Amino acid sequence: MRILIESDAAAAAKCCAELISDLVREKPDAVLGLATGGTPVQCYHQLIRMHQEEGLSFRQIRSFNLDEYVGIAPDDENSYRHFMNQQLFQHIDIDIANTSVPNGMTDDLQAAGLEYEAQIADAGGIDLQLLGIGRDGHIAFNEPGSSLASRTRVKTLTDETLRDNARFFASVQEVPTTALTMGVGTILDARHCVLLATGAGKADAIRDAIEGPITSQVTASALQLHPKATFVLDADAAGLLKRRSYYDRAR
Ligand code: F6R
């Protein structure tokens, strides 16, 4: 595992965007796994800036998002599809037909999960998966107790996640209680996993994910099993790491 600790959230976002842009330059038809939520927004701003100012092209890029709420239509402003279009896709030259978000609107969610897995496999697998982390240690919507071998399927969100995500909705009652999400096993299949975390609110989850035991109670801890996992943190998110000086020396 590489642990990259930056001074603040802006520097962490830049570092994360550079990991992504290095891959896009090296492999213009790379397959990216993308995340939503508050954390990646600054990273997406950096990618947009690189596209506008440095000619970084996403023309041949294929992308798969981690998750989507069940029962929220793609054109709903609370959907993760809408988020991705607004925060990234409409500002870069990616072909929107090459961007995928799980389909949370179908009657057969199990089939939709299997189909998503098949699409990822058909694309040749994910080269780089961008991840955030929940305060309960989740990656994608793999809440505590999710199997570390899980594949794309429906998960029920915890009360903590519902409360955390209520900031994007009019009230907590409006947050969908289930999501179609890549599994931990799906994420671990990516050739490189990059987890970005910022802010003191993530410090407990980051400590548990990096220095705690591998456990389904903290699904991000499964990244300890991955041959190429990179954590990009700001100083606040790294605040509870015991071996910080070693990580700084080893980077
Ligand atoms: C989003 C996702 C979630 C978020 C996590 C952190 O696609 O899969 O795991 O990354 O809930 O969310 P923020 O960044 O809003 O704190």
Side-chain angles (χ1 to χ4, degrees), residues 21 37 93 97 106 114 174-175 182 211 229 238 246:
S21 63
D93 61 347
T106 167
L114 292 172
E174 287 183 31
V175 186
M182 280 189 204
E211 295 179 341
Y246 171 75

Side-chain angles (χ1 to χ4, degrees), residues 145-179:
S146 296
S147 161
L148 300 186
S150 50
R151 313 300 307 189
T152 304
R153 80 271 183 242
V154 176
K155 278 304 287 185
T156 299
L157 308 188
T158 61
D159 288 343
E160 187 176 27
T161 299
L162 293 176
R163 278 195 304 274
D164 284 348
N165 290 3
R167 69 192 193 279
F168 298 109
F169 292 80
S171 71
V172 71
Q173 285 73 28
E174 287 183 31
V175 186
T177 55
T178 54

Side-chain angles (χ1 to χ4, degrees), residues 81-177:
R81 159 56 73 185
H82 182 81
F83 175 99
M84 290 308 301
N85 290 350
Q86 295 289 315
Q87 297 294 337
L88 182 65
F89 298 151
Q90 69 184 37
H91 307 287
I92 57 175
D93 61 347
I94 199 165
D95 180 348
I96 205 79
N98 287 339
T99 67
S100 298
V101 178
N103 177 7
M105 281 301 281
T106 167
D107 289 339
D108 193 343
L109 290 161
Q110 197 184 346
L114 292 172
E115 195 185 316
Y116 205 61
E117 292 280 337
Q119 284 174 12
I120 294 171
D122 283 351
I126 292 172
D127 289 301
L128 184 154
Q129 177 65 59
L130 177 63
L131 299 162
I133 188 169
R135 287 189 305 128
D136 60 7
H138 69 224
I139 44 175
F141 276 131
N142 294 289
E143 299 286 32
S146 296
S147 161
L148 300 186
S150 50
R151 313 300 307 189
T152 304
R153 80 271 183 242
V154 176
K155 278 304 287 185
T156 299
L157 308 188
T158 61
D159 288 343
E160 187 176 27
T161 299
L162 293 176
R163 278 195 304 274
D164 284 348
N165 290 3
R167 69 192 193 279
F168 298 109
F169 292 80
S171 71
V172 71
Q173 285 73 28
E174 287 183 31
V175 186
T177 55

